[in-house]
Amino acid sequence: MVCYAVLLAFVSIIGAAYLQGGLDTATNEVINRVVALLGGKRNLLENMVLSDHSWHDGNLKSVNRNANRLHTDIFSIEPNTTYEIQVDLNKISLNNGDAFRLGFITADDAGKGKEDAKGIDSEWILPTENVSNKKYTTEYDSETGIAKITFTSKADNTKFAMNFKSGKQSNTATNSINTTANINDQIKNAITMTRK
């Protein structure tokens, strides 16, 4: 009986979500609800792919090759929803004196983020700084080495992507990310994003 109830709920949620926003949104919504029902939170970045391109001018419609940083593929998100990005800095090895930085962009279906203020362009975030006066907040726990970045997507935001780089702690200029330390796998293991 329980299996039938779960299957019926799954099919109902897919049908309702499909009518509201398409199959991709429907699938994400069902997975999130089932995971929540089972008492957990799904890592939305679990299938993250990294490459040496970067999002151009705060928009997801165009990318430029930029060998000194990495970016994720584009993920689907829900509008008007709060998300938490967690970064375990213990899992990322950098050159001495270098600091890990990340940035994220939310955008509409057309990929517009910074353009016309359609989405959120975080610019570069130093996870070890506590920030509360931007379109996101960061909380860093120096004892655990874990940073939490929280943001709420805008009304028509359905797309999300991230950039990563490393550089000197006091230097805002872009420096090459340390690719010799298998940084791709480190980033994938260190960063999660969940719906709050």
Side-chain angles (χ1 to χ4, degrees), residues 43 45 48 50 84-93 100 102 127 144-149 162 164 182-193:
N43 175 16
L45 305 179
M48 179 167 47
L50 297 173
E84 181 180 274
I85 301 166
Q86 185 167 301
V87 184
D88 186 344
L89 293 167
N90 301 305
K91 296 180 178 179
I92 300 174
S93 300
F100 178 72
L102 62 89
T144 63
I146 294 176
K148 294 179 181 179
I149 302 161
M162 297 179 79
F164 309 102
N182 201 10
I183 196 72
N184 285 32
D185 290 337
Q186 291 180 35
I187 290 173
K188 289 178 187 179
N189 290 328
I191 299 179
T192 60
M193 185 169 99

Side-chain angles (χ1 to χ4, degrees), residues 10-61:
F10 183 80
V11 171
S12 300
I13 293 168
I14 284 186
Y18 180 74
L19 292 173
Q20 291 176 354
L23 189 57
D24 191 34
T25 301
T27 305
N28 278 336
E29 184 64 22
V30 168
I31 291 170
N32 287 333
R33 288 187 186 184
V34 169
V35 169
L37 182 67
L38 297 174
K41 289 189 176 182
R42 178 177 169 228
N43 175 16
L44 302 174
L45 305 179
E46 62 193 350
N47 297 316
M48 179 167 47
V49 175
L50 297 173
S51 66
D52 62 348
H53 290 74
S54 66
W55 307 115
H56 178 59
D57 291 334
N59 290 304
L60 300 183
K61 14 179 220 186

Side-chain angles (χ1 to χ4, degrees), residues 24-26 28-29 32 76-83 152-155 157-159 195:
D24 191 34
T25 301
N28 278 336
E29 184 64 22
N32 287 333
S76 295
I77 58 171
E78 301 292 324
N80 298 319
T81 303
T82 301
Y83 292 92
T152 301
S153 56
K154 292 188 174 184
N157 289 174
T158 57
K159 308 290 181 197
R195 216 168 121 167

